[in-house]
Amino acid sequence: YIGGGAFFARWEDSMAEKKPKATAEIDLGEGYKIVCEASGKQIIVDEPVSFGGTDLGMNPLEVLLSGLGACKCVIAKMLAKKKRLQLDYLSIECTGTFDPEKKVGLSDIETVFHIKSPASDEELEKFMELVDNNCPVNDTIKNSPSLSHRLQRV
């Protein structure tokens, strides 16, 4: 982890000032269309038609994997700039292993960094570790937070 200092100070300060919050509201009619909102922005989450959905958006596990990949992309870009590591192309692919006979959620997540760079494989391996160690979504998944729920009648 390389937090602190001028590099992450602005980002850490903005995150410390608020608790990240998102809402998900499902259409209780046909299908499983869900409107998710955070910071005034919306995405549609759904299930495929084969599962009774309308296939208007990614399913919740795909959203989780996309969030992980997106967070790693942001951190990678920040760190590449800080470390003066030339990246000519970066795409991050996250794949989950889903075995419903073993557990309800994903049992394994693999991240593949698709990188074009003049850096050596050794430099890129160290860089990928640094990205993993500084990615808040990666940390949240790896070191599960406590989960709770409460009822609020409307």
Side-chain angles (χ1 to χ4, degrees):
Y1 174 69
I2 64 162
F7 182 66
F8 278 116
R10 203 173 32 178
W11 181 74
E12 288 175 337
D13 287 347
S14 73
M15 290 305 290
E17 291 174 8
K18 66 177 184 174
K19 287 174 117 175
K21 179 181 178 181
T23 60
E25 183 177 328
I26 192 166
D27 178 345
L28 294 174
E30 293 294 316
Y32 294 103
K33 178 184 171 191
I34 303 155
V35 176
C36 298
E37 185 173 329
S39 302
K41 297 159 197 78
Q42 293 184 340
I43 62 168
I44 301 296
V45 177
D46 203 346
E47 291 292 342
V49 173
S50 63
F51 195 70
T54 54
D55 206 20
L56 294 174
M58 292 181 272
N59 72 40
L61 287 175
E62 292 167 335
V63 172
L64 174 75
L65 294 170
S66 294
L68 176 61
C71 190
K72 287 186 180 195
C73 281
V74 169
I75 298 301
K77 185 174 179 178
M78 289 177 168
L79 289 173
K81 183 176 180 181
K82 178 180 173 37
K83 298 288 187 182
R84 293 186 173 102
L85 177 74
Q86 182 181 334
L87 295 179
D88 298 322
Y89 176 83
L90 174 66
S91 170
I92 296 179
E93 176 184 346
C94 298
T95 305
T97 301
F98 183 66
D99 185 353
E101 293 188 19
K102 291 186 179 176
K103 64 181 281 187
V104 175
L106 299 175
S107 58
D108 182 64
I109 298 174
E110 178 188 45
T111 300
V112 178
F113 288 71
H114 300 271
I115 298 174
K116 181 178 181 183
S117 171
S120 70
D121 285 358
E122 184 179 327
E123 289 172 306
L124 293 175
E125 283 294 333
K126 288 179 183 176
F127 176 71
M128 290 184 299
E129 273 188 47
L130 196 59
V131 169
D132 283 351
N133 291 336
N134 285 277
C135 174
V137 176
N138 192 77
D139 182 69
T140 301
I141 293 170
K142 188 175 178 181
N143 302 300
S144 300
S146 61
L147 297 172
S148 62
H149 66 266
R150 63 184 171 90
L151 171 66
Q152 183 174 345
R153 291 189 178 267
V154 292

Short mmCIF file of all heavy atoms in Angstrom, two decimals, residues 145-149:
data_model
loop_
_atom_site.label_atom_id
_atom_site.label_comp_id
_atom_site.label_asym_id
_atom_site.label_seq_id
_atom_site.Cartn_x
_atom_site.Cartn_y
_atom_site.Cartn_z
N PRO A 145 -15.69 -6.94 4.51
CA PRO A 145 -16.18 -6.11 5.61
C PRO A 145 -17.32 -6.81 6.33
O PRO A 145 -17.91 -7.75 5.80
CB PRO A 145 -16.69 -4.86 4.89
CG PRO A 145 -17.11 -5.34 3.55
CD PRO A 145 -16.14 -6.45 3.21
N SER A 146 -17.64 -6.36 7.53
CA SER A 146 -18.81 -6.91 8.20
C SER A 146 -20.04 -6.42 7.44
O SER A 146 -20.06 -5.30 6.92
CB SER A 146 -18.85 -6.47 9.66
OG SER A 146 -18.94 -5.07 9.75
N LEU A 147 -21.03 -7.27 7.34
CA LEU A 147 -22.26 -6.94 6.64
C LEU A 147 -23.40 -6.93 7.64
O LEU A 147 -23.46 -7.79 8.53
CB LEU A 147 -22.56 -7.96 5.53
CG LEU A 147 -21.56 -8.05 4.40
CD1 LEU A 147 -21.88 -9.24 3.48
CD2 LEU A 147 -21.56 -6.77 3.58
N SER A 148 -24.30 -5.98 7.50
CA SER A 148 -25.47 -5.93 8.36
C SER A 148 -26.65 -5.46 7.53
O SER A 148 -26.49 -5.04 6.39
CB SER A 148 -25.23 -4.97 9.54
OG SER A 148 -25.00 -3.65 9.07
N HIS A 149 -27.83 -5.56 8.10
CA HIS A 149 -29.01 -5.03 7.43
C HIS A 149 -29.97 -4.49 8.48
O HIS A 149 -29.86 -4.81 9.66
CB HIS A 149 -29.69 -6.11 6.56
CG HIS A 149 -30.27 -7.23 7.36
ND1 HIS A 149 -29.58 -8.38 7.59
CD2 HIS A 149 -31.46 -7.35 7.98
CE1 HIS A 149 -30.34 -9.18 8.33
NE2 HIS A 149 -31.47 -8.59 8.59
#
